[in-house]
């Protein structure tokens, strides 16, 4: 990364570093913040007071300290959680389940993990079980690859700083180079697939759910046992998922 030391605004840099501390500490006193940031107590106090005013920090009612404020908590939540989001996506999930006949899920990206936010389960006797709140390595899932494809190369590198990637199954992509090639393919065709890359025998396909910003973008995923998930079936389900996703744009 290119050095920007000559362009650094010290107070802004201190505030951003303090936000990082609030994300990783349950509670911080002024003295602790000053020590961790290598600044004076008066500087730490002024920055904390500014963050409190903007809702990024909150005074701890249990003692003389500060914790993450409501704005920071809100920003840390992925898209798709909360009653309003569930209502907005409900009709899309219902339609997708009807069209595909398979278990369908909405999913969001948290760092390099994909989290399932909601879904509908297939009525097939042999089916993929719905698991809201479960997370998976993004590079091993269709939904994760779909959402990673909307990011720049630099952003993906920040999530995957090393060439080697963890393998969950023999089918998992195990290098960043292979992931970049896969993301290029996803950008061209507009959908992502996984053939047993996260769980053996689980085949999935994902398309995008529109959102006003990158943080609000989600994936709509159809999951099926391998015997109902060959390439032709996955391509067909991608088209059906796109029709369901269009309901969100029309609402």
């Amino acid at each position: 990364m290119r050095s920007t030391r000559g362009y650094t605004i010290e107070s802004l840099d201190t505030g951003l570093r303090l936000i990082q501390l609030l994300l990783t500490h349950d509670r911080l006193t002024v003295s602790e913040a000053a020590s961790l940031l290598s600044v004076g107590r008066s500087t730490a106090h002024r920055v904390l007071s500014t963050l409190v005013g903007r809702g990024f920090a909150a005074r701890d009612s249990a003692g003389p300290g500060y914790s993450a404020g409501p704005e920071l908590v809100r920003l840390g939540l992925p898209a798709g959680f909360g009653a309003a989001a569930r209502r907005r996506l409900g009709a899309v999930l219902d339609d997708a389940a009807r069209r595909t006949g398979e278990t369908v899920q909405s999913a969001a990206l948290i760092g390099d993990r994909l989290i399932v936010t909601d879904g509908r389960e297939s009525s097939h006797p042999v089916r993929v079980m719905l698991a809201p709140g479960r997370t998976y390595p993004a590079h091993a899932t269709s939904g994760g690859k779909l959402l990673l494809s909307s990011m720049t190369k630099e952003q993906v590198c920040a999530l995957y700083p090393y060439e080697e990637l963890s393998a969950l199954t023999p089918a998992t992509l195990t290098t960043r180079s292979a992931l970049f090639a896969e993301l290029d393919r996803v950008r061209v065709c507009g959908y992502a697939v996984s053939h047993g890359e996260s769980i053996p025998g689980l085949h999935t396909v994902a398309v995008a759910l529109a959102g006003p910003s990158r943080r609000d973008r989600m994936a709509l995923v159809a999951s099926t046992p391998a015997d109902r998930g060959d390439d032709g079936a996955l391509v067909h389900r991608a088209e059906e998922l796109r029709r369901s996703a269009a309901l969100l744009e029309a609402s």
Side-chain angles (χ1 to χ4, degrees):
M1 183 180 295
R2 186 190 308 169
S3 173
T4 58
R5 177 60 59 185
Y7 299 94
T8 299
I9 301 172
E10 293 298 336
S11 59
L12 177 58
D13 183 64
T14 301
L16 292 173
R17 289 191 293 135
L18 188 45
I19 285 175
Q20 290 177 317
L21 290 175
L22 289 169
L23 288 170
T24 56
H25 291 70
D26 290 335
R27 180 174 167 275
L28 278 174
T29 65
V30 172
S31 295
E32 288 169 339
S35 176
L36 290 168
L37 295 172
S38 298
V39 299
R41 291 185 78 260
S42 60
T43 297
H45 184 264
R46 286 197 303 271
V47 175
L48 280 166
S49 296
T50 301
L51 294 178
V52 168
R54 289 294 182 179
F56 288 92
R59 290 186 176 85
D60 194 334
S61 59
Y66 296 80
S67 58
E71 283 299 308
L72 197 54
V73 171
R74 183 182 66 81
L75 289 173
L77 290 174
F81 284 97
R86 291 172 69 90
R87 286 194 300 270
R88 188 169 62 95
L89 294 171
V92 174
L93 291 168
D94 289 341
D95 189 69
R98 178 183 62 80
R99 287 181 180 277
T100 65
E102 300 293 348
T103 296
V104 295
Q105 301 165 330
S106 56
L109 201 61
I110 306 180
D112 63 354
R113 305 285 297 185
L114 185 80
I115 183 168
V116 176
T117 64
D118 200 2
R120 302 291 185 269
E121 201 166 284
S122 169
S123 60
H124 284 291
V126 179
R127 61 187 181 272
V128 176
M129 304 299 288
L130 185 63
R134 185 171 181 180
T135 68
Y136 305 85
H139 72 280
T141 66
S142 61
K145 290 186 286 186
L146 189 284
L147 293 172
L148 289 171
S149 73
S150 70
M151 301 171 69
T152 67
K153 185 174 183 178
E154 291 74 18
Q155 289 170 333
V156 176
C157 284
L159 295 177
Y160 300 97
Y162 305 109
E163 174 65 11
E164 184 178 351
L165 305 179
S166 59
L168 279 73
T169 76
T172 308
L173 299 176
T174 56
T175 66
R176 193 172 64 177
S177 299
L179 177 61
F180 283 141
E182 178 72 358
L183 298 184
D184 286 340
R185 189 199 66 78
V186 173
R187 293 182 187 106
V188 170
C189 67
Y191 63 88
V193 298
S194 171
H195 296 89
E197 295 169 41
S198 60
I199 299 173
L202 173 66
H203 288 195
T204 70
V205 60
V207 304
L209 285 168
S213 67
R214 184 175 64 82
R215 180 178 175 273
D216 296 305
R217 292 176 198 144
M218 300 181 67
L220 179 61
V221 184
S223 304
T224 180
D227 61 358
R228 295 200 302 268
D230 60 22
D231 287 338
L234 292 179
V235 171
H236 175 70
R237 290 191 186 110
E239 292 302 319
E240 296 298 330
L241 290 177
R242 282 197 184 102
R243 292 186 176 93
S244 298
L247 296 176
L248 189 61
E249 299 175 13
S251 63

